[in-house]
Amino acid sequence: MSKQYKPVPREWQLVMDEESISRAISRISFEIVEKDRDLKNLAIVGIRTGGEHIGKRLAEEIQRIEKIEVAYGVIDITLYRDDLSSQQSQPTLRGTDLPFRIAGSRIVLVDDVLFTGRTIRSALDAIIDFGRPRRVELAALVDRGYRELPIQADYVGRVVPCQRAQLVRVRLSEMGYRDGVYLIDR
């Protein structure tokens, strides 16, 4: 019996399928390992909600490759957002779970789509509140450009050229969808 996935709208243009997402996660995992072979203080931190599933997959892939335990956590940046005061409704807090020591760790911060850089700035502020890491690196499944802050990913699955007004959406099996990255016209 095959798994039933939620559908995505037909007008969404698929730019990464299951196989290309899997290859990107594998490649990023190898790049993380190759950049610094000292993995004992490595921790993968996914940004809720987009980066948490990609981060978990990266941690599992590095564990599979290196046969070691990799610290994994998630960070909720809701209260660190610079647009919080302009939000119409009460923000929903989903919680932060960092079950390891931040101080002295090599943190690989993970998000699904890198756009303006504001989410990453918020995540950096949040991480610093928990301790001072030795180093923070950034991994993104998709880099779509249009930065508003001087933030660049260390590891990128794919650069997706698009117009500023277009949306890039990541849908994953953990969310009930078939894995895919989609480009959407507004």
Side-chain angles (χ1 to χ4, degrees), residues 75-117:
I75 196 153
D76 184 344
I77 62 158
T78 303
L79 297 177
Y80 292 86
R81 295 178 55 97
D82 61 6
D83 63 351
L84 192 59
S85 62
S86 65
Q87 299 278 325
Q88 302 258 338
S89 61
Q90 253 335 74
T92 302
L93 299 177
R94 294 185 178 93
T96 291
D97 181 21
L98 299 171
F100 50 85
R101 182 179 156 87
I102 294 290
S105 293
R106 172 191 175 199
I107 303 291
V108 177
L109 190 59
V110 182
D111 205 2
D112 56 350
V113 179
L114 178 56
F115 184 23
T116 63

Side-chain angles (χ1 to χ4, degrees), residues 2-8 18 172-179:
S2 66
K3 182 174 178 166
Q4 293 294 314
Y5 294 105
K6 295 182 218 175
V8 296
E18 290 174 280
L172 301 169
S173 60
E174 294 90 341
M175 306 154 85
Y177 297 91
R178 182 179 308 279
D179 285 359

Side-chain angles (χ1 to χ4, degrees), residues 7 14 31 35 38 60 73 76 93-94 105 123-125 134 143 149 155 168:
L14 182 68
E31 290 174 1
K35 185 168 186 173
D38 180 11
E60 289 170 351
D76 184 344
L93 299 177
R94 294 185 178 93
S105 293
L124 290 169
D125 288 347
R134 177 173 56 96
D143 184 343
L149 298 172
Y155 314 101
V168 175

Side-chain angles (χ1 to χ4, degrees), residues 4-151:
Q4 293 294 314
Y5 294 105
K6 295 182 218 175
V8 296
R10 286 195 170 148
E11 62 272 12
W12 290 16
Q13 177 189 349
L14 182 68
V15 293
M16 285 180 82
D17 61 11
E18 290 174 280
E19 188 177 319
S20 58
I21 290 172
S22 180
R23 276 196 315 268
I25 288 171
S26 181
R27 182 174 33 77
I28 291 169
S29 298
F30 277 105
E31 290 174 1
I32 290 168
V33 168
E34 289 170 1
K35 185 168 186 173
D36 186 346
R37 297 289 305 160
D38 180 11
L39 301 174
K40 67 181 177 290
N41 291 317
L42 173 65
I44 306 294
V45 176
I47 301 172
R48 286 203 200 272
T49 59
E52 68 183 296
H53 303 303
I54 301 296
K56 182 76 171 159
R57 290 185 188 190
L58 286 171
E60 289 170 351
E61 182 69 5
I62 293 169
Q63 286 176 180
R64 188 190 66 74
I65 293 166
E66 293 296 309
K67 313 283 189 273
I68 60 165
E69 190 69 28
V70 176
Y72 170 74
V74 292
I75 196 153
D76 184 344
I77 62 158
T78 303
L79 297 177
Y80 292 86
R81 295 178 55 97
D82 61 6
D83 63 351
L84 192 59
S85 62
S86 65
Q87 299 278 325
Q88 302 258 338
S89 61
Q90 253 335 74
T92 302
L93 299 177
R94 294 185 178 93
T96 291
D97 181 21
L98 299 171
F100 50 85
R101 182 179 156 87
I102 294 290
S105 293
R106 172 191 175 199
I107 303 291
V108 177
L109 190 59
V110 182
D111 205 2
D112 56 350
V113 179
L114 178 56
F115 184 23
T116 63
R118 293 186 180 282
T119 296
I120 306 309
R121 187 214 46 86
S122 298
L124 290 169
D125 288 347
I127 285 173
I128 297 301
D129 278 353
F130 287 92
R132 184 177 177 177
R134 177 173 56 96
R135 179 169 75 225
V136 178
E137 299 167 9
L138 177 59
L141 180 63
V142 174
D143 184 343
R144 58 157 298 158
Y146 298 101
R147 227 65 90 234
E148 295 175 5
L149 298 172
I151 291 174

